[in-house]
Amino acid sequence: MNEMTKIETTLKDWETDQEVRWCPGCGDYAILKAVQRTLPQLGCDPSNTVFISGIGCSSRFPYYMETYGFHTIHGRAPAVATGVKLANPDLDIWLVTGDGDGLSIGGNHMMHVLRRNVNMQIMLFNNEIYGLTKGQASPTSREGTKSPSTPLGSYDHPARPCAFALGAGARFVARGFDVSKNLPDVLKAAHAHQGAAFIEIFQNCIVYNKDVFDDFAAPKGAGDRQLWLEQGQPMLFGDPKTGLDKGIALDTEALALKVVDVVDGDWQSAGVLVHDVTNRAVAHMLVEMPFGPFPMALGVLYDDPRPTFEEGVIEERGRSVAGKDVNLARLLAKGQTWTVEASEGHPVD
């Protein structure tokens, strides 16, 4: 596979002539702009980029990107994306899905693209509801969610997308939210990763699940409930006005994480952990932290590359044809074959 040739583009080069049609106020608008602004910064080439989606509100994404794209069927975008990558490994693949599309009918396909480690960026928009089909509870809906399918409140325990991804063997797992100024940095880290890069993006559904993430994602006043992770930096959070006066430490007796106070910036004495993106055990604990007692862990939680699926397939293809005649016409002419010659009165059709 070749290194990506970087070119200069602007946001306009990634916008189509299609009218962007989501509900006014939908978080998908902010995600779309974040992606369109990030791709020029990465030096990406629209003619070498493919956006592939399934079914749902998020899956309209390919219509609004001036690239190649597929709007596929419910839950099967990972399978189509895998086929595209194997057919042309040099393409830059972005897979767009939702919590319903990617974790219900598409859960098994999502699992396999992650465990195989196919080199692509996977953006899972999580609004904790089925938006396109009018507000039914989804696999990530919280317990007690009232919807047309759960009028008395959902009694299902919700799936955690990042925990699912780690359990499926993903080598890159990250979180962001639609209106965050840090979302482009998360997208850049995912693009730099060689392999399946899974990004959960919390997205506000303005109609059916309005402001469900405001407890940590509100435009103002929620900074002390966000833990933005950065490689090699202490896990600190707090009120932006008063400083980062809290941190995440390891309770060695319970083998669990805990919140500690940080006095005068002395995070070392408080035992605050330094983020190591290759530590899979801590990544599992971060995605399982209950919000409320803990902040919401955001940014790159885990990043530990290994060889990609398509690299293995290409190597296997090379071994399978080594020393063999790969000319199809000659292969067909070998063995028990004969040529029918025309004779007088009996032409060959």
Side-chain angles (χ1 to χ4, degrees):
M1 288 174 289
N2 300 323
E3 290 282 332
M4 185 185 78
T5 301
K6 295 186 177 182
I7 68 169
E8 290 189 12
T9 61
T10 67
L11 182 148
K12 293 294 183 183
D13 294 313
W14 297 89
E15 295 178 332
T16 69
D17 59 359
Q18 300 298 299
E19 179 187 359
V20 181
R21 298 186 65 182
W22 286 304
C23 299
C26 175
D28 288 355
Y29 286 97
I31 300 172
L32 176 65
K33 282 302 176 189
V35 172
Q36 290 173 333
R37 290 190 176 103
T38 300
L39 293 175
Q41 297 173 28
L42 292 171
C44 295
D45 183 350
S47 67
N48 196 57
T49 305
V50 186
F51 278 81
I52 299 173
S53 66
I55 295 295
C57 298
S58 62
S59 295
R60 299 182 62 84
F61 217 87
Y63 294 109
Y64 309 136
M65 297 299 303
E66 189 61 32
T67 66
Y68 292 102
F70 289 91
H71 188 177
T72 70
I73 56 179
H74 207 191
R76 275 65 173 188
V80 175
T82 299
V84 173
K85 191 66 177 179
L86 291 179
N88 188 345
D90 292 331
L91 291 175
D92 189 10
I93 308 293
W94 293 77
L95 192 153
V96 186
T97 186
D99 51 300
D101 178 62
L103 294 179
S104 57
I105 192 170
N108 65 322
H109 294 281
M110 183 65 70
M111 175 184 71
H112 295 308
V113 77
L114 293 173
R115 73 170 180 83
R116 286 172 172 154
N117 199 36
V118 186
N119 189 15
M120 66 181 71
Q121 297 73 239
I122 302 168
M123 298 188 295
L124 185 142
F125 299 4
N126 182 10
N127 55 21
E128 296 187 359
I129 208 75
Y130 278 104
L132 188 66
T133 49
K134 312 308 180 195
Q136 300 96 322
S138 84
T140 59
S141 294
R142 303 178 192 187
E143 294 176 15
T145 298
K146 292 185 178 181
S147 75
S149 61
T150 55
L152 300 180
S154 174
Y155 51 81
D156 279 352
H157 182 67
R160 295 177 182 267
C162 288
F164 169 87
L166 285 168
R171 309 300 299 187
F172 180 100
V173 177
R175 271 190 188 143
F177 60 91
D178 47 17
V179 296
S180 170
K181 64 180 181 181
N182 296 326
L183 182 57
D185 291 331
V186 176
L187 298 173
K188 291 174 186 176
H191 192 265
H193 176 87
Q194 291 298 301
F198 182 88
I199 317 148
E200 177 186 13
I201 305 176
F202 296 110
Q203 176 255 325
N204 185 34
C205 177
I206 195 72
V207 175
Y208 297 110
N209 216 14
K210 183 181 178 182
D211 300 335
V212 70
F213 302 119
D214 266 8
D215 46 5
F216 68 86
K220 295 181 180 179
D224 60 340
R225 296 183 288 281
Q226 301 172 13
L227 171 64
W228 280 99
L229 299 162
E230 186 177 348
Q231 169 66 9
Q233 296 300 313
M235 298 184 188
L236 297 170
F237 66 101
D239 188 336
K241 295 179 180 179
T242 58
L244 305 180
D245 57 358
K246 295 186 182 299
I248 301 296
L250 180 65
D251 184 335
T252 55
E253 292 185 4
L255 289 180
L257 299 180
K258 62 180 180 179
V259 175
V260 295
D261 293 323
V262 176
V263 180
D264 297 329
D266 187 4
W267 57 267
Q268 293 97 330
S269 297
V272 173
L273 291 172
V274 172
H275 187 43
D276 176 6
V277 293
T278 66
N279 192 322
R280 192 177 189 87
V282 173
H284 272 285
M285 288 191 280
L286 287 168
V287 302
E288 294 286 358
M289 288 193 311
F291 181 74
F294 290 89
M296 180 59 68
L298 299 162
V300 179
L301 294 98
Y302 182 63
D303 184 359
D304 190 13
R306 65 178 172 85
T308 65
F309 182 66
E310 64 274 13
E311 288 172 339
V313 170
I314 292 169
E315 191 274 334
E316 182 183 60
R317 287 173 181 168
R319 284 190 288 109
S320 69
V321 301
K324 297 178 181 178
D325 185 355
V326 295
N327 185 296
L328 182 60
R330 285 199 296 266
L331 288 171
L332 289 174
K334 285 183 177 180
Q336 296 180 349
T337 62
W338 61 92
T339 301
V340 179
E341 302 288 351
S343 60
E344 187 176 351
H346 297 280
V348 176
D349 288 334

